[in-house]
Amino acid sequence: VLASSDEAVDLCAAVDVDLVVEPQLDISTELAVLVVTGADGSQVTYDPVRSVQERGMCREVILGDLDPALAARARRVAEDVADAVGAVGVLAVELFVVGGEVLVNEVAPRPHNSGHLSIDACVTSQFENHLRAAAGLPLGSPMAMQSAAAMVNVVGVDDQHDPRARLADGLAVPDARVHFYAKSPRAERKVGHVTVVGVDPEAALSRARAAVAALEAVGD
C-alpha cells in the first residue's frame, strides 16, 4: 500500500514493467445485482443482494436488508453496465459501496454464486432465465416470493470430511434448503449451499448459518 500519489509515481519510474495503481477503498458494503437480457432486448433485474466475503470467497448472500435508495442505485448501475456491454443472458454485476457511492467491482456474464438463492427465493431462478434468454423465450419474473432470504455456501474442510454425510443434520434446521454440487470436498472448495427463505433477513441468515455449521462439522 502506497502512502501518496508521489510514491506511486516514484515506483512506476523505478521499475521497467507496466503497473496498474488503484486507490485503497474504504468499502462499507459489497452488493451484487443480476440483470438478464433476452436476445430481443427484453430485460429483467433481480433485487440487489448484500454479499459477505471470507478469505477472498463469497460466503453469504442476503436479500431484504438493503436501504431502498441504495438498492435502487445499485439496480440502475447494474442495468447501465448490462446495456453498455450488450449482454445476453445473465450478467452478474458485483459492486462496492464506498462513502454512499456505488462502484462497479467486476462483472460475470453467466449464472453467478450471488444468485443461487433465486432457486428457492424467486419466481424464476437465474438458471431458468439464462436458458430462456439463450433460447429466445420470454423471460420469467425475477420477483422474490417473500421479503427476505439468505444463502450460505457450504465449504469443504478437507478431503476427509464430506458435508453430504451430514445432510440429515443440515435439514434438521427449520426451513433450510440444502443444495449440493457434484464436487468432491477439499479445503476451501465450495461444495454446496443452503438457502432459507422468510420474512426477516437476520432470522433467515441465522438459520442458514446453523445448517451450514451442521454440514461442515468435523467429528462425532
Side-chain angles (χ1 to χ4, degrees):
V1 178
L2 303 176
S4 68
S5 58
D6 289 339
E7 285 190 23
V9 172
D10 292 342
L11 176 61
C12 290
V15 296
D16 189 24
V17 295
D18 293 331
L19 299 175
V20 176
V21 180
E22 297 179 339
Q24 184 176 12
L25 301 177
D26 184 14
I27 301 168
S28 61
T29 309
E30 295 192 40
L31 309 177
V33 185
L34 301 183
V35 183
V36 190
T37 308
D40 62 354
S42 60
Q43 192 173 83
V44 297
T45 304
Y46 289 83
D47 288 336
V49 294
R50 180 171 62 88
S51 62
V52 178
Q53 315 297 315
E54 289 183 3
R55 301 184 298 279
M57 177 193 303
C58 179
R59 183 61 156 164
E60 301 175 344
V61 175
I62 303 95
L63 170 68
D65 68 349
L66 293 181
D67 173 78
L70 176 61
R73 289 201 299 276
R75 179 187 294 267
R76 287 195 300 272
V77 169
E79 290 173 344
D80 286 346
V81 170
D83 292 341
V85 302
V88 174
V90 173
L91 184 75
V93 182
E94 296 185 88
L95 306 162
F96 292 147
V97 180
V98 180
E101 185 177 2
V102 178
L103 305 177
V104 176
N105 173 24
E106 62 181 48
V107 298
R110 54 178 171 77
H112 193 260
N113 191 208
S114 62
H116 284 357
L117 57 69
S118 66
I119 299 170
D120 299 306
C122 300
V123 173
T124 313
S125 77
Q126 64 165 341
F127 298 99
E128 180 177 338
N129 261 335
H130 192 63
L131 292 173
R132 288 188 183 208
L137 297 171
L139 300 180
S141 170
M143 184 180 298
M145 291 184 288
Q146 293 200 51
S147 57
M151 184 210 75
V152 179
N153 281 312
V154 181
V155 179
V157 177
D158 53 41
D159 59 5
Q160 302 299 315
H161 298 88
D162 192 337
R164 290 171 293 191
R166 295 184 175 272
L167 177 59
D169 297 328
L171 292 175
V173 177
D175 303 320
R177 304 180 186 186
V178 180
H179 299 263
F180 282 123
Y181 316 144
K183 294 182 177 180
S184 57
R186 64 170 183 260
E188 301 301 308
R189 186 184 200 188
K190 295 175 189 173
V191 295
H193 68 269
V194 173
T195 302
V196 174
V197 179
V199 296
D200 178 76
E202 284 302 317
L205 181 58
S206 178
R207 289 186 177 184
R209 284 173 173 171
V212 168
L215 293 167
E216 293 179 351
V218 174
D220 296 332

